[in-house]
Amino acid sequence: MIDMSYLVADGDFYTSWDTVDPGVRYHAGPMPSDWTKRDGGVWMHWAPAGFLLVETGWKVHVSASFANAQPVLTVVSAVCAESKIQFKHLAGERTFLLMHAKHGTRVQSGKFCAIYPQTQEAALAIMRRLETELAGISGPYVLTDRRFGTSKCVSYRYGAFRERTRIDGDGYQVHTMLGLDGQEVDDERKPNFQLPQGVTDPFRQETIAAKANGPLALHDYRFEKVLQHSNAGGAYRFRSAQDEPVFIKEAKSHNGYTEDGVDAKTRLDAECLTLRTVHGREPGLCPKPIELFEHWEHRYLVTEWVPGNSLYHWMISNNPALNIEPTAIAFADYHRRSLAILDQLDAQLRRLHEIGFVFVDLSPNNVFVDDDERVRLIDFEAAQPTRAIKAIIGTPGYLHPDAWTKAKHDPEELDRYGLSALALLLLSPVHEAAERNPQVLDHLNADLTEFAPVPPRLWRWATRYRKPAEQAVLPTPQSVRDDTMGSLRWLADKTADELAAMARPDHPTGVYPTNPLGYQTDTRALAAGTAGVLCALHRAGRTCDPAIVRRLRDEALAAAETSAPGLLFGSAGIACVLAKLGELDVAETILLIAARHRLNRTAAGLGGGAAGTALGLLIHHHRTGEQRWLELADQLLARLPEDPDELTAQLSRTTPSGLVHGRPGVALAQYYLYRRTGDSRLFARGLRLLRDEFIYAEPRTAHGLRFRPSQSDPRVLPYLYAGSAGYAAVLSRYLAHRPDAEFGGRVPFEAAEALNRCLHTCSGRFPALPGLFPGLAGLAAMLAGAGNRLGRPDLIVAAHASARGLFRYAVPRKIGVAWLGEPGLRLSADLWSGSAGILLALCQLTDPTPFPLDILDEEDPAARRATHETGKEDCYGRSSTAAS
């Protein structure tokens, strides 16, 4: 699920939500003159003079509704001042609404005030006092906590008082605290009450706890499945007393607020009344409402169970553009079915308008399609009477950009716009790019027409509200086809221009705008930080700002001990970039720290663990020729467990397959160490790792092969970070060096066939995102690299055909061209999914200079062989004599 919190603070870039203006400020009331006040953005902190926090203890939280927040704060601040206990509170009304919004973070929701008593006795005393002072006052239930006594707004949990973090093997920041024995342990912040080992709850009252948990049956409805969780409440499938499936929607008390201060319960009541009215006038136009009831402190709406799947799921399952070899017949059939679905929706919306309602939030997840391709509208939360629209709730890309104006003058236009956006979805989900640059639609049409023409009625429907670009900044689709290489070079230059202009040298959280991954890992590292951007700019022949290089050098050196050690999320990758940019001494210091990092013993992956550290050492050995770097790499990889189960335990907990976190990344490090040492055991072990990766493999067509991110994840991916492209990037190196290499053992495909199947899969041309690791740029770059490595011009031709599709995502700006980083809703400079990664891919496609890792292949004649016969031009427009 997309973390919406990174979208609220800035319309162009991903930004942490705690940077927003707090709005109307809350006031703690008169505080003692010797207390200190510190503005922490989201939070306002108060502490008595000389107060020093203990490391861990019993945190007390006080929740509040939006309506009673200020009076609650007045009480809390007075009690804390009298008790001389440090506390903090949300700074303003806007931050309150964001923290308690439907898509806010569930582990933070409800925490209006946080109090830090120094002892268990002090915690008990202040909770008893607040239980009395706030008796009868309700607030949202804090999922991480347990409520105290009879209070409906005072709760507690055991955790860290002082901010502590560690880095895990995936490169992510993990909150920690000191355990009872003084050792650092994880401070797990999950949406349920937890206690660290050895800690017992001295405040618990069993009867209250039992009531709070509630039964698994509601009003004779028997629980079956959780469909979705949110701050507003859950969505569930239950079964009735007659054993019929029903849908139950939960609204939590004092939570799930919208910007106008309306909470989830109020909206659920309104939705129930809307459903009753619509169903009464047009049965079948909406889910049949069955019952609205209260249980504990929450409200529940029961409706009929609507069979089928979301329109988004239908599109993913049926759109030929997502197949490897779509046919004109398949497209014609899909277009016919898409128009039939849109016609059904259009008719239903017209009926809804005739009875005086507009749906408003017409999005892919609010439309269900059953097995017979009959369509139903679901989730009428945003639906309102046409002449009384009081709130606008919508989905990015599907909500009219001037929604309030339309709501006042032509409310039905909101639904017509949403229907047009759904038509575009059925062709390709390029909504965000199209809003920023309508010219991308010309490229979408041209790319689709290569396989089959889009019916004019469907195209008109999809583009009805997309105004033509005022001026054509991008090359036309025809010019891209007439001169693909020249167009890609133009795109690389414009991307580099804009990337350089994105720099914010003094920004506190990172020099370049990043994606959510950067905020969760390291804004200095290769994957989503400064090092990745500098790597791409240097690769493109641009001069890197010395001040930015110095900042990266100084910050990376200062943080080396606490950073992950690996290549993409850690210090080894940063060191390689610094060495490339002339900071050799500091780079070697950081590499030595990375080589001895404790994570190398427990994390094996390329991203943040031993394989990535070893690759960084091997790259530096290639640069310097010094034997010590080779020996350190050898030592790291020698420590990795041979036993497959033990190795699995050292891979990612969430995505144990793929290049970045799984066995292919380890196999890549084994391969390069073999190339430096000649130890054939390393080559054999790498092939075994690639063979073992088949536990995640799934053939998708007669000739394709994709991989699941994990055993429990149903998705099958073609991408570089986890999927066919990452697998092929490694296996192609093994087979370029030894074409006769075989996996051995019981596997569905031998090495050469597995590689061909992966390469075939990577020729798909319509991923949702353009980026390097999770999108089209990575597929194209991998095909080009494998084509050069294996001496296969057909792969390079396929790579260029795929790369033309990048124009579907390009966003021109004042300086150059920018790109939407993962998940595709804001611009980003990062290497993982944003501008830097696409620039790196474009360099791979337009310049034969070795790709960053390919420098280690230079001794391999197969990696540098000319792609055409002597005397003919190669794919870069040079004679093969020059190429060799």
Side-chain angles (χ1 to χ4, degrees):
M1 181 178 289
I2 294 172
D3 188 341
M4 303 294 286
S5 68
Y6 291 100
L7 308 180
V8 299
D10 193 295
D12 285 329
F13 303 107
Y14 298 105
T15 306
S16 179
W17 78 278
D18 57 10
T19 62
V20 301
D21 181 346
V24 177
R25 295 273 181 164
Y26 293 120
H27 298 285
M31 298 296 291
S33 59
D34 61 342
W35 277 53
T36 59
K37 173 184 177 182
R38 180 171 64 84
D39 189 340
V42 167
W43 297 100
M44 187 65 70
H45 300 257
W46 295 90
F51 189 89
L52 293 177
L53 276 177
V54 295
E55 285 283 351
T56 58
W58 292 100
K59 292 183 182 181
V60 176
H61 290 118
V62 178
S63 61
S65 69
F66 184 60
N68 68 22
Q70 181 58 65
V72 166
L73 175 59
T74 301
V75 171
V76 170
S77 59
V79 171
C80 288
E82 184 179 326
S83 305
K84 295 183 172 55
I85 297 179
Q86 181 171 338
F87 73 101
K88 67 181 181 181
H89 61 84
L90 288 176
E93 291 184 356
R94 188 179 182 200
T95 53
F96 184 101
L97 291 174
L98 288 172
M99 182 173 279
H100 295 79
K102 179 176 182 178
H103 299 294
T105 305
R106 294 173 69 221
V107 297
Q108 289 294 336
S109 183
K111 299 173 182 178
F112 175 53
C113 299
I115 304 168
Y116 301 93
Q118 298 288 79
T119 64
Q120 178 178 310
E121 293 73 22
L124 179 60
I126 199 166
M127 285 193 290
R128 282 176 172 168
R129 175 80 180 276
L130 289 170
E131 179 185 25
T132 300
E133 297 279 352
L134 296 171
I137 302 300
S138 297
Y141 192 88
V142 181
L143 293 177
T144 60
D145 289 23
R146 181 171 282 158
R147 277 190 177 163
F148 179 77
T150 60
S151 178
K152 291 186 177 180
C153 64
V154 179
S155 61
Y156 59 91
R157 71 178 289 264
Y158 191 89
F161 282 12
R162 297 188 183 186
E163 186 71 13
R164 283 177 170 269
T165 59
R166 69 171 178 87
I167 299 293
D168 69 9
D170 293 340
Y172 285 85
Q173 302 276 345
V174 177
H175 292 285
T176 65
M177 63 180 174
L178 293 183
L180 294 180
D181 59 358
Q183 298 298 308
E184 191 174 51
V185 297
D186 289 352
D187 183 12
E188 294 189 79
R189 301 179 182 183
K190 297 179 179 179
N192 57 280
F193 183 75
Q194 296 185 102
L195 292 172
Q197 187 173 6
V199 177
T200 58
D201 183 354
F203 313 122
R204 183 174 188 180
Q205 298 181 23
E206 296 294 336
T207 55
I208 300 297
K211 182 180 178 182
N213 288 332
L216 289 177
L218 300 173
H219 274 43
D220 296 326
Y221 298 105
R222 188 175 73 256
F223 172 79
E224 192 167 270
K225 184 179 181 180
V226 175
L227 303 175
Q228 182 177 316
H229 281 304
S230 78
N231 264 350
Y236 311 95
R237 185 171 69 201
F238 277 70
R239 300 196 80 85
S240 69
Q242 294 74 37
D243 203 34
E244 295 290 332
V246 294
F247 175 79
I248 295 186
K249 184 176 184 178
E250 175 189 42
K252 295 180 179 179
S253 291
H254 313 302
N255 222 327
Y257 288 97
T258 45
E259 290 183 0
D260 55 0
V262 175
D263 68 355
K265 274 189 172 182
T266 303
R267 290 198 308 278
L268 192 69
D269 290 347
E271 182 179 359
C272 179
L273 293 173
T274 297
L275 291 176
R276 288 173 179 171
T277 304
V278 172
H279 179 73
R281 296 180 184 178
E282 283 280 349
L285 188 55
C286 68
K288 178 183 177 180
I290 298 174
E291 184 178 5
L292 181 71
F293 66 86
E294 196 94 4
H295 176 76
W296 192 50
E297 298 174 9
H298 301 161
R299 196 163 294 155
Y300 297 86
L301 172 63
V302 187
T303 69
E304 68 168 307
W305 177 260
V306 177
N309 287 298
S310 71
L311 181 62
Y312 186 85
H313 183 274
W314 184 88
M315 183 275 292
I316 291 292
S317 301
N318 292 280
N319 192 343
L322 303 182
N323 296 334
I324 302 168
E325 292 180 336
T327 65
I329 293 175
F331 268 109
D333 180 62
Y334 175 72
H335 292 153
R336 175 188 59 78
R337 294 158 65 201
S338 295
L339 283 167
I341 283 175
L342 292 168
D343 284 335
Q344 289 183 68
L345 276 173
D346 187 34
Q348 291 181 26
L349 289 168
R350 289 176 187 274
R351 287 160 55 200
L352 188 64
H353 297 163
E354 287 170 2
I355 63 175
F357 284 84
V358 286
F359 193 76
V360 182
D361 188 15
L362 193 61
S363 64
N365 291 322
N366 290 342
V367 175
F368 259 41
V369 184
D370 69 13
D371 292 342
D372 296 320
E373 297 192 350
R374 291 173 299 192
V375 177
R376 294 285 301 274
L377 292 168
I378 64 166
D379 195 349
F380 276 64
E381 179 179 355
Q384 297 164 77
T386 305
R387 297 184 179 181
I389 295 180
K390 297 181 179 179
I392 297 291
I393 301 173
T395 303
Y398 299 87
L399 181 64
H400 196 291
D402 192 12
W404 273 113
T405 299
K406 293 301 177 185
K408 292 177 182 177
H409 302 291
D410 187 5
E412 293 174 5
E413 191 79 347
L414 296 173
D415 289 349
R416 289 191 286 268
Y417 183 93
L419 188 58
S420 174
L422 291 179
L424 181 57
L425 167 79
L426 293 173
L427 296 176
S428 185
V430 294
H431 300 75
E432 192 70 26
E435 284 187 7
R436 295 171 184 268
N437 175 29
Q439 198 181 355
V440 303
L441 295 173
D442 298 336
H443 290 273
L444 173 62
N445 195 11
D447 290 346
L448 290 171
T449 301
E450 285 190 21
F451 299 97
V454 179
R457 186 163 77 96
L458 180 54
W459 186 252
R460 287 194 300 271
W461 215 333
T463 60
R464 175 181 176 184
Y465 293 92
R466 311 292 172 173
K467 296 179 180 179
E470 294 181 1
Q471 61 179 32
V473 178
L474 301 179
T476 66
Q478 188 58 52
S479 64
V480 172
R481 281 151 180 77
D482 291 341
D483 182 11
T484 297
M485 290 302 296
S487 298
L488 294 178
R489 289 191 182 102
W490 178 91
L491 193 58
D493 286 340
K494 290 298 182 180
T495 299
D497 289 342
E498 184 64 31
L499 186 57
M502 283 177 155
R504 312 165 299 182
D506 299 321
H507 196 277
T509 59
V511 175
Y512 296 96
T514 185
N515 65 5
L517 178 67
Y519 292 107
Q520 295 160 6
T521 55
D522 189 339
T523 57
R524 295 177 293 267
L526 263 176
T530 305
V533 177
L534 295 181
C535 175
L537 288 172
H538 181 79
R539 173 70 174 82
R542 300 302 179 97
T543 300
C544 297
D545 185 341
I548 294 175
V549 176
R550 287 195 297 271
R551 176 176 171 177
L552 175 62
R553 176 198 67 194
D554 295 345
E555 290 184 353
L557 183 60
E561 296 283 357
T562 54
S563 298
L567 191 73
L568 294 172
F569 303 116
S571 52
I574 297 174
C576 289
V577 174
L578 288 172
K580 186 186 290 287
L581 298 176
E583 297 286 349
L584 190 63
D585 291 343
V586 171
E588 293 190 345
T589 299
I590 293 174
L591 272 175
L592 289 171
I593 294 172
R596 66 170 185 261
H597 198 289
R598 58 177 176 79
L599 268 179
N600 290 319
R601 295 183 177 273
T602 57
L606 182 72
T613 308
L615 265 176
L617 294 166
L618 290 169
I619 290 171
H620 199 65
H621 169 255
H622 176 82
R623 178 176 290 113
T624 65
E626 294 182 22
Q627 188 68 12
R628 58 175 173 151
W629 306 113
L630 180 62
E631 292 172 355
L632 285 171
D634 192 3
Q635 292 167 15
L636 284 179
L637 294 180
R639 286 204 301 258
L640 293 178
E642 293 277 356
D643 181 83
D645 292 336
E646 291 182 21
L647 180 63
T648 298
Q650 294 192 13
L651 300 175
S652 170
R653 291 184 294 176
T654 57
T655 312
S657 77
L659 176 64
V660 174
H661 298 299
R663 289 171 178 81
V666 181
L668 184 65
Q670 298 282 356
Y671 171 77
Y672 282 126
L673 183 60
Y674 156 72
R675 294 299 310 281
R676 287 291 170 263
T677 64
D679 186 346
S680 59
R681 292 173 299 177
L682 295 167
F683 189 93
R685 186 184 185 195
L687 277 178
R688 287 198 303 274
L689 290 169
L690 292 172
R691 179 192 67 195
D692 292 345
E693 186 76 353
F694 270 106
I695 62 174
Y696 304 105
E698 184 174 333
R700 296 297 287 178
T701 66
H703 305 291
L705 184 65
R706 296 189 182 191
F707 293 82
R708 296 187 302 276
S710 70
Q711 293 283 37
S712 61
D713 193 329
R715 296 175 300 158
V716 284
L717 304 178
Y719 300 121
L720 195 60
Y721 85 94
S724 315
Y727 190 84
V730 181
L731 183 55
S732 65
R733 285 170 164 85
Y734 277 81
L735 294 185
H737 182 66
R738 279 181 42 189
D740 60 341
E742 296 182 354
F743 289 140
R746 298 178 63 183
V747 291
F749 311 110
E750 262 309 333
E753 184 180 358
L755 176 59
N756 284 331
R757 283 176 170 269
C758 287
L759 294 171
H760 185 67
T761 296
C762 292
S763 63
R765 290 166 56 180
F766 290 91
L769 297 173
L772 181 64
F773 281 92
L776 181 62
L779 303 184
M782 192 284 302
L783 287 173
N788 281 316
R789 201 173 294 120
L790 300 167
R792 288 185 52 181
D794 61 305
L795 295 180
I796 297 171
V797 171
H800 291 161
S802 291
R804 288 197 295 266
L806 288 172
F807 286 92
R808 295 196 304 271
Y809 311 89
V811 180
R813 286 169 66 84
K814 290 182 180 179
I815 304 298
V817 171
W819 302 85
L820 296 163
E822 191 178 24
L825 297 172
R826 295 290 187 270
L827 304 174
S828 182
D830 68 279
L831 186 79
W832 181 268
S833 64
S835 297
I838 291 170
L839 176 59
L840 210 57
L842 289 168
C843 290
Q844 169 80 348
L845 290 157
T846 59
D847 181 351
T849 303
F851 203 50
L853 286 180
D854 287 344
I855 61 173
L856 297 174
D857 292 326
E858 286 181 343
E859 295 174 6
D860 184 355
R864 306 302 302 143
R865 64 168 64 112
T867 57
H868 287 253
E869 296 176 1
T870 303
K872 297 183 180 180
E873 286 191 345
D874 67 9
C875 59
Y876 303 103
R878 312 165 306 166
S879 69
S880 57
T881 303
S884 61

